[in-house]
Amino acid sequence: MAIAASGMLAPDVALSTTSNFSDFANGRQLSDAELGQLRGRFVDKGRILFFGVQMTSEWRNPAGGHLRAGATLHGDLTGRAPSVSFEPHLTMVSAGNAVVAGPSGNGAIVRDGGTGGIGNARGVVQSIQAAGDFNAAANDLQIDVLDASQHPGVPSGSGASSSQQLPSGTRISASYGPQGMNVALDMPGMGSVTQAIVPSRGLRQSIQLTSDLQQVRNLTRLQLYMGQSGADASPPGLRTAIESVRQLRR
């Protein structure tokens, strides 16, 4: 239809010039294996039916202590009103009294001059501040785009926040509420590790260390389950859908 209509245009109608694709003359089509290695995923003509957020913060110290704070959030967007299930996971493993007593730090202090970007940045904000030697720290984000037919179903989580504190002052917590989703590890004199999804702001991952020989990691996994829209539907674009999930509003 477009070709037939163009032939009926009057001679004095100005047509836009054709783009020059000569730079791609030696190009080739990428295989599925190569496309799978590219950063970024694109989904066409789909919509998010379910989503999942998995947060895990881990801390290992040289004395054998192992702390882990995690939480799982499942969302079902297929009904008239979204349904959300939240489940916290807290673990403390100690070798002797490594976690109970808590090894002392090196006396250093981390002064945060706004690098967390809570007030002036949106999206994914990752920060690592270390006032010590031989530490290993990482903030990671993984996004998986999956078929809705693979969704295992939304479990019935408790929806309650959880926290534990030891006599040494070490505290681990996982919470969900109007202020968003948060997991945190705090060891007085040694530092703190936090992750949070803040409504209208995005993901925050922060590591602050004031000790030596620590191994810490933040990991957030966002799983988007896409379903095909009907012929008469007007699905939102992928970016709009991800923005709506990031708000995490009921």
Side-chain angles (χ1 to χ4, degrees):
M1 293 290 294
I3 296 176
S6 63
M8 298 174 60
L9 293 175
D12 57 346
V13 174
L15 299 178
S16 59
T17 59
T18 303
S19 300
N20 183 6
F21 294 100
S22 59
D23 293 337
F24 300 93
N26 297 324
R28 64 179 180 85
Q29 183 176 357
L30 296 178
S31 65
D32 291 340
E34 290 173 309
L35 289 174
Q37 299 300 319
L38 295 179
R39 292 184 178 273
R41 302 285 180 86
F42 299 89
V43 180
D44 188 23
K45 296 183 179 179
R47 60 190 180 98
I48 296 178
L49 301 182
F50 308 95
F51 71 89
V53 179
Q54 299 175 11
M55 275 188 179
T56 304
S57 295
E58 289 191 88
W59 191 322
R60 297 177 183 270
N61 62 42
H66 180 198
L67 303 178
R68 179 172 181 174
T72 304
L73 183 70
H74 295 277
D76 184 348
L77 307 179
T78 59
R80 291 187 175 181
S83 61
V84 176
S85 171
F86 175 76
E87 185 177 0
H89 309 280
L90 304 180
T91 304
M92 293 186 181
V93 180
S94 63
N97 63 348
V99 173
V100 177
S104 60
N106 57 19
I109 299 176
V110 172
R111 299 187 182 277
D112 191 347
T115 56
I118 297 297
N120 58 10
R122 300 191 180 199
V124 179
V125 179
Q126 298 172 319
S127 173
I128 296 177
Q129 299 167 300
D133 299 322
F134 307 107
N135 293 302
N139 289 314
D140 295 323
L141 169 64
Q142 178 178 337
I143 300 177
D144 301 321
V145 179
L146 306 170
D147 193 301
S149 61
Q150 303 174 8
H151 190 265
V154 177
S156 56
S158 63
S161 302
S162 180
S163 65
Q164 296 183 18
Q165 184 167 345
L166 296 177
S168 62
T170 297
R171 184 173 184 272
I172 65 176
S173 62
S175 62
Y176 171 72
Q179 300 302 317
M181 179 178 178
N182 177 279
V183 299
L185 302 171
D186 183 67
M187 298 184 70
M190 299 183 66
S192 62
V193 179
T194 61
Q195 291 187 89
I197 294 181
V198 183
S200 301
R201 291 292 182 182
L203 174 65
R204 302 291 187 267
Q205 294 178 316
S206 173
I207 296 174
Q208 295 182 336
L209 298 176
T210 56
S211 51
D212 306 324
L213 300 169
Q214 308 300 314
Q215 299 181 34
V216 296
R217 185 193 184 195
N218 278 327
L219 172 62
T220 292
R221 294 185 60 188
L222 173 61
Q223 298 173 324
L224 307 175
Y225 292 87
M226 310 294 295
Q228 296 301 316
S229 302
D232 56 347
S234 57
L238 179 63
R239 179 176 179 178
T240 303
I242 293 179
E243 289 289 339
S244 65
V245 172
R246 191 179 66 179
Q247 304 295 327
L248 292 181
R249 292 175 176 171
R250 296 176 181 240

